[in-house]
Structure formats: C-alpha cells, structure tokens
C-alpha cells in the first residue's frame, strides 16, 4: 500500500483510538481560533504505530496564521514562544548555553525557502556578546546558517551541520524546514514543533540523513510548516469537497461522474488515495501543489517563527522589543 505524504505527527495519529493509541498520549486545547495538539510518543509501541520516534510533537493550528494581520501573528507568536520554551526547559538547556539554528531548504524555491528566510531574521549574537554593554543581560550566544540543499552544494546537509556542531559546540540545535501535509486544510496554517529532530525532505519522498541527537550528539528541536501537498492529496480533498456540495442534490449532467466519485468514497482512505495517485501520476508525475500566495505567506510565517525563537531563546527579549526593533 502506498503511503500518503505527510510530515505532521497529528495527521499520522488521526483515526487512531483504543488499542491503536497504545504508547501514544494525545491532548488538544482550543484557544480562540488556535488549536494546540500535543502528542507524546512514550515507548517503542507508540513509535512503531505512529512511524515517528519517541518524543513530543506539538502542533499549532489556525486558519488565521496565513492572514496578513499583525495582531493575529502576535498571538500565534506568543503561543509558539510558550511551546518552544517548554521544549527548551524539558531538554534542560541552560539560560546562557549556545544555540545553533539551521534553516533547511532551498532559498530559490519559494515553498521551500522558509528555513533560509527564518535564519535571515534571527538575532544572532555569538560573534558580538563580548562587545555588549555590561548592563545588557538576557542574551545567549546564537549562531545560524542556511546550508542550502545537496542538489546545489553536493554536500549532505547532515555533514555540514555535524561539522558546525563540532566547532560551535551548541547545547541545542534548532532546525527549521518546510513540510508536506496530508490535508489541503493545513497548508500554511499549521506549525509543528518536535524534540525528536528532523529528516529533511521526508514528507515529499526525498529523505535525507536525519538531524537528531543520535547523529549530532546534541538535542535537536525541529520547527516546520507544511507548504505543499502532493497532487493526489489535492485531487482527493477536492473530490471530498465536491461530494459534500452535491449532498443536497446532483445536477443531471453530473450524475454519472458523481456515481464514480461515490464509489471512491467507499474505499479506505489509503486505498482511495492510491487509486487517485496511480491515475494521475502517469500524466503529471510526482507533483506537489502550493497556493499562489505562497511568497507572501512564507514571509509572514518566517517572521512568526524567527521572532518566536528570538524571544524563547533570549530571555532578555520580549514582545515589546520585537514591536520596537524588528517589525
């Protein structure tokens, strides 16, 4: 059976209940327009079921994330800061410990440019802390790099990061990447955090070497936003919308097609997705889809994530500082 592309732990957990949740703890909280879902994979049974390593997965969802609205962005940023701080403290990271931020992805491909854009908006301090005024406190040494992709550099990203870790000696690595989702409803409006690291490109079937504590020797927190879905998922979700709209009655000229679509709905989700993928891939290949406004949305998302990291990692910075100096 073919897998549906997704990087989101919450999508992989959907449909699980009872025995299926053995080794997995889930909790969801609604805060206004924002839904926060926390998944803890607590043992090997849970890891096998979910297909994700043991650890914590936090998802922040809101349709307003992709709106050009600073008030909304500030609210999302505050939630991100809180969740990132929980992961930081859970890993036992010291207040003044060095942190290395890695912006994964290709800056020349807009849906894949989230990581490099975040790096460009961070307050990096590793090189200037010894030159700061004596009364200035609450800053930690932060270094950041967007290493590009292997197709441009010929170097595996994990090799670059491992070399940096050996020289910078951070206590924590934060990796930012664009993800893939299973549902079009989560594109550009979902932020996932995890303390288990990341396998760049896994969601689009282009798995690279994993960045995690095992490979790097230090904890890795990954932050990602789904910016694409595969074409089969797009068609599948579009058909579901079409069927929902026809529920009150089907026009005569659509009845034959509608019957075919209803037949598809009788299949299990994985099987239906496989039928659609096998139908369209000979024509369009392994194609991924992204919204037309992706350029602007990635800019807003990179602001939210970069400043969330700035506040969570530098205890001397708060939202007022962000408003005064960074927007």
């Amino acid at each position: 059976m073919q897998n549906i592309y997704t990087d989101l732990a919450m999508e992989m957990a959907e449909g699980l209940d009872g025995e299926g949740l053995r080794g997995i703890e889930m909790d969801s909280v609604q805060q206004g327009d924002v839904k926060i879902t926390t998944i803890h994979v607590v043992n090997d049974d849970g890891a096998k079921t979910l297909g994700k390593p043991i650890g914590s997965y936090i998802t922040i969802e809101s349709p307003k994330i992709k709106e050009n609205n600073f008030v909304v962005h500030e609210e999302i940023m505050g939630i991100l800061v809180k969740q990132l701080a929980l992961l930081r403290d859970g890993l036992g990271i010291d207040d003044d410990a060095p942190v290395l931020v890695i912006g994964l992805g290709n800056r020349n491909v807009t849906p894949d440019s989230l990581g490099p854009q975040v790096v460009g908006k961070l307050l990096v301090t590793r090189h200037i802390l010894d030159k700061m005024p004596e009364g200035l406190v609450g800053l930690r040494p932060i270094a950041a790099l967007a290493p590009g992709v292997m197709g441009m550099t010929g170097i595996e990203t994990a090799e670059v990061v491992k070399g940096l870790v050996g020289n910078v000696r951070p206590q924590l690595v934060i990796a930012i990447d664009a993800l893939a989702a299973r549902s079009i409803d989560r594109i550009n409006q979902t932020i996932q955090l995890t303390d288990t690291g990341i396998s760049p490109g896994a969601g689009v079937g282009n798995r690279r070497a994993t960045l995690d504590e095992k490979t790097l020797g230090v904890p890795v927190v990954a932050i990602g936003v789904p910016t694409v879905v595969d074409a089969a998922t797009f068609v599948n979700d579009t058909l579901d919308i079409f069927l929902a709209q026809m529920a009150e009655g089907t026009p005569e000229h659509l009845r034959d097609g509608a019957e075919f679509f209803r037949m598809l709905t009788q299949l299990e989700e994985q099987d239906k997705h496989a039928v659609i993928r096998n139908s369209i891939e000979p024509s369009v290949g392994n194609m991924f889809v992204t919204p037309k406004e992706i350029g602007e949305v990635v800019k807003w998302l990179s602001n939210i994530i970069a400043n969330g990291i700035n506040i969570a990692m530098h205890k001397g910075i708060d939202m007022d500082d962000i408003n005064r100096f960074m927007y």
Side-chain angles (χ1 to χ4, degrees), residues 5-23:
Y5 289 122
T6 182
D7 287 304
L8 300 178
M10 65 173 301
E11 289 190 327
M12 300 179 80
E14 286 177 341
L16 296 177
D17 54 23
E19 285 295 311
L21 279 172
R22 187 169 54 187

Side-chain angles (χ1 to χ4, degrees), residues 1-2 6 30 38 43 88-89 111 114 143 148 188 194-195 206 259 290 317:
M1 184 179 294
Q2 298 183 38
T6 182
Q30 192 76 35
T38 303
N43 57 32
R88 177 202 67 206
D89 295 342
L114 178 68
N188 294 337
T194 176
D195 58 6
N206 184 30
E259 192 59 34
T290 194
I317 293 178

